[in-house]
Amino acid sequence: MNGAPVLDLATLRSGCSHCSLQQLCLPAGISPDELQRLDEIVRRRRPIERGERLYRAGDPLAAVFVARDGAFKTVSISEEGEEQVIGFHLPGELIGLDALGAGSHRCEAIALTEANVCEVPFEQLAVVAAQLPSLQQQLLRVIGQSVGRDQDHLGILVRRQAGERIALFLHGLSERYRNIGQPATQFKLPMSREDIARYLGLALETVSRGFTRLQEDGVIDVVGRRIDILKPAELNRLAHSAEHDEPKRRGRA
Amino acid sequence: MNGAPVLDLATLRSGCSHCSLQQLCLPAGISPDELQRLDEIVRRRRPIERGERLYRAGDPLAAVFVARDGAFKTVSISEEGEEQVIGFHLPGELIGLDALGAGSHRCEAIALTEANVCEVPFEQLAVVAAQLPSLQQQLLRVIGQSVGRDQDHLGILVRRQAGERIALFLHGLSERYRNIGQPATQFKLPMSREDIARYLGLALETVSRGFTRLQEDGVIDVVGRRIDILKPAELNRLAHSAEHDEPKRRGRA
DNA sequence: CGGCCTGTTGATTAGAATCAACCAAAGTGG
DNA sequence: CCACTTTGGTTGATTCTAATCAACAGGCCG
């Protein structure tokens, strides 16, 4: 658990063109010389600690962020002070779009782990995007992907069975890890059971039980936040075609 | 079947500059001469009938749409053929952003009523937006508002009590009608109970019961799809601070 | 060591899904 | 024009899932 990783200065210094996330992030599909324009406005921020906020609800839209590593959650606080989790953000995924509509943030973005982020001042991004059609295109695509993730989230929440939601959650997370080139069947959850519960609209006990149930069924192996997906196909099945299949029969024959 | 309403040619012909939704739609904040550039690429389509689709899942992103009147729903079809309602779209709200991420539509957009829509070819919109900073800005804002509505939807779905979800739904719809300058306390729901149920992640019977309950409590008056919000403040309270207040005591005192 | 946070597990209960009638309005066709 | 069907909505009875309340276990920290 030497959690605070050795600070890779080279990584911090080097720009988008050397970033491993290049093909997933704003620079995707942008020519090298154009990339430099983008690179000039991107600020590589110092490491963020766990629990630190990138912005708070109500803050004016100043910049959007992308994690190079680590993970974030965005939460909105209801009038009663309840925290509801709007989304989780893995490396390469844009953070801060919740302010696009009104010009100020609806959510807070909180680091779930130590992380390094790139900060892109929004005004400048807009200006450069207007000048570089391929950047504009990629910006819209990245925004669209974010919309897509929100819709996936909606798709999880309308499922009424807790087990389905949990399977869908794990499946989706696994896919996202695969996308960024990390192991898709073995990973450490960056978020707590409570975060997951507030993301899925369930009680945290229900999430816990859901995990144990999946473990009992041999689909996954869980130890605290360590997840090992033993039967990806089965998880996929549970996530999609529901549990209608084996309704009563627990012990398999 | 004079279903096709009297065709208002003047309305169809007149461009954005004469549109009553101008300040809510893409043209907002755009100077008259710039507006003409936008106007040139907007196609005013013939009236759409109820049940007609603007696009289907899988269709490549060709255009985005805005209703001038009427209402739409966007739905995604699960592998089991279940229809899940992603969103409802009132006049002035952009339809079709679900394709921004992958370049093809994830959803289908279906007319809930007869409607007139403007169609904006996406490629051309991107080109013009790159040339007109104020249009680019407004495009991003409108996209952001759409993201905001999705997040409101999420906020509804994580609420676990059916009554809260229903109150929140009515409250949000009311706000949106107010925004477009239509009566906010009296309106006709363009969607069926089943659509609402699939939007809220509830069974349709539960939605029906929820409406009846609100009526019994004197908060609203419902007759089929006609809604009259009698106590907006009370609805607002139910939507936000939940029903934790009067748990058992039905008859007050 | 003792406290604290995170997660698991158990018992009970509230609330919504489901199954099933039923009703009114709107078509449809003889 | 009236019987018949279809569609959308309401209401009732029953069942079952997940929330809630509660106790407890392991890891980590001061």
Side-chain angles (χ1 to χ4, degrees):
Chain A
M1 249 124 283
N2 44 2
V6 190
L7 195 46
D8 186 344
L9 284 176
T11 299
L12 281 183
R13 287 240 181 77
S14 69
C16 295
S17 50
H18 298 105
C19 180
S20 63
L21 295 169
Q22 198 196 139
Q23 286 314 311
L24 304 160
C25 190
L26 282 174
I30 298 193
S31 69
D33 47 324
E34 289 181 336
L35 187 50
Q36 201 182 335
R37 291 288 317 277
L38 174 60
D39 233 352
E40 278 162 12
I41 65 170
V42 175
R43 290 183 226 153
R44 253 62 61 172
R45 303 228 310 186
R46 75 173 188 303
I48 306 287
E49 333 172 1
R50 182 180 157 149
E52 204 175 322
R53 283 166 173 76
L54 294 177
Y55 51 80
R56 295 188 142 75
D59 284 357
L61 169 57
V64 294
F65 303 86
V66 186
R68 310 187 119 215
D69 54 46
F72 287 81
K73 65 175 174 182
T74 40
V75 305
S76 79
I77 315 286
S78 70
E79 16 270 84
E80 309 98 75
E82 295 248 315
E83 184 174 286
Q84 97 120 307
V85 176
I86 300 297
F88 296 115
H89 306 269
L90 302 186
E93 298 172 355
L94 220 50
I95 304 173
L97 298 175
D98 55 322
L100 268 193
S104 63
H105 289 282
R106 312 167 39 113
C107 301
E108 336 223 301
I110 304 176
L112 292 167
T113 63
E114 320 77 73
N116 291 292
V117 300
C118 297
E119 177 176 3
V120 192
F122 185 71
E123 283 304 329
Q124 297 176 48
L125 177 60
V127 169
V128 178
Q131 293 164 0
L132 307 178
S134 57
L135 176 60
Q136 189 198 47
Q137 197 181 340
Q138 179 61 7
L139 176 61
L140 287 173
R141 188 182 305 132
V142 171
I143 291 173
Q145 286 164 356
S146 172
V147 171
R149 279 192 300 277
D150 280 357
Q151 288 193 8
D152 288 340
H153 188 187
L154 286 178
I156 292 177
L157 284 170
V158 284
R159 303 261 137 225
R160 306 202 217 90
Q161 303 279 343
E164 279 181 79
R165 295 194 200 177
I166 292 166
L168 230 18
F169 168 72
L170 283 177
H171 177 259
L173 202 55
S174 170
E175 286 295 301
R176 281 159 72 185
Y177 277 122
R178 180 200 314 287
N179 264 343
I180 58 175
Q182 286 184 236
T185 60
Q186 296 190 155
F187 48 85
K188 182 162 176 293
L189 295 171
M191 69 295 279
S192 70
R193 297 290 189 271
E194 181 161 24
D195 286 333
I196 299 173
R198 294 190 191 285
Y199 179 77
L200 296 180
L202 296 172
L204 73 88
E205 295 97 324
T206 307
V207 174
S208 185
R209 279 185 248 267
F211 280 179
T212 355
R213 176 72 204 281
L214 285 172
Q215 172 151 267
E216 282 168 5
D217 292 354
V219 180
I220 65 174
D221 193 51
V222 205
V223 186
R225 295 191 177 186
R226 278 238 63 89
I227 298 283
D228 193 342
I229 301 177
L230 303 172
K231 299 180 186 165
E234 182 68 3
L235 183 63
N236 190 50
R237 198 186 61 77
L238 288 175
H240 292 306
S241 63
E243 299 136 90
H244 302 162
D245 321 52
E246 35 175 347
K248 286 281 111 90
R249 334 214 80 273
R250 295 282 296 279
R252 59 167 92 336
Chain B
M1 57 210 53
N2 46 1
V6 191
L7 199 46
D8 185 344
L9 284 174
T11 299
L12 281 181
R13 287 242 180 75
S14 69
C16 295
S17 50
H18 299 105
C19 180
S20 63
L21 295 169
Q22 197 195 140
Q23 286 314 309
L24 303 161
C25 189
L26 283 173
I30 297 191
S31 68
D33 47 323
E34 289 182 337
L35 186 50
Q36 201 182 335
R37 292 289 317 278
L38 174 60
D39 233 352
E40 278 163 12
I41 65 170
V42 175
R43 288 184 228 152
R44 252 65 59 172
R45 304 226 310 186
R46 76 172 188 303
I48 307 288
E49 344 173 350
R50 184 180 158 152
E52 203 175 323
R53 286 167 172 73
L54 293 177
Y55 51 81
R56 296 188 142 74
D59 284 357
L61 169 57
V64 294
F65 303 87
V66 185
R68 309 186 121 215
D69 54 47
F72 287 80
K73 63 175 174 181
T74 41
V75 305
S76 80
I77 315 286
S78 71
E79 13 272 83
E80 309 98 76
E82 294 249 316
E83 182 175 287
Q84 97 121 307
V85 176
I86 300 296
F88 296 114
H89 306 270
L90 303 186
E93 300 172 354
L94 220 49
I95 303 172
L97 297 175
D98 55 321
L100 269 192
S104 63
H105 289 283
R106 312 166 38 110
C107 301
E108 334 223 301
I110 305 176
L112 293 167
T113 62
E114 321 76 72
N116 289 292
V117 300
C118 297
E119 178 177 1
V120 191
F122 185 71
E123 283 305 331
Q124 297 176 48
L125 177 60
V127 170
V128 178
Q131 294 164 0
L132 307 178
S134 57
L135 176 60
Q136 189 198 46
Q137 196 180 343
Q138 179 62 8
L139 175 60
L140 288 172
R141 189 181 305 135
V142 170
I143 291 174
Q145 286 164 356
S146 173
V147 171
R149 279 192 299 278
D150 281 357
Q151 288 192 9
D152 289 338
H153 189 186
L154 286 178
I156 291 176
L157 284 170
V158 282
R159 302 263 138 224
R160 306 202 216 89
Q161 303 278 343
E164 280 180 78
R165 294 194 201 178
I166 293 166
L168 232 17
F169 168 72
L170 283 177
H171 176 260
L173 202 55
S174 170
E175 287 295 300
R176 282 158 72 185
Y177 276 122
R178 181 198 313 288
N179 265 343
I180 58 175
Q182 285 184 238
T185 58
Q186 295 190 157
F187 47 85
K188 183 160 175 293
L189 296 170
M191 70 295 277
S192 69
R193 297 291 189 271
E194 181 161 22
D195 287 333
I196 298 174
R198 294 191 192 285
Y199 179 78
L200 295 181
L202 298 171
L204 74 88
E205 294 96 324
T206 306
V207 174
S208 185
R209 279 185 247 267
F211 280 179
T212 324
R213 178 72 204 280
L214 285 172
Q215 172 150 266
E216 282 168 5
D217 293 354
V219 181
I220 64 174
D221 192 51
V222 206
V223 186
R225 297 190 177 187
R226 279 237 64 89
I227 298 283
D228 192 342
I229 302 178
L230 303 172
K231 299 182 187 165
E234 182 68 4
L235 183 63
N236 190 51
R237 198 186 62 77
L238 288 175
H240 293 306
S241 62
E243 294 132 276
H244 303 161
D245 320 53
E246 35 173 346
K248 287 278 114 89
R249 335 214 79 277
R250 294 285 292 281
R252 62 163 90 330

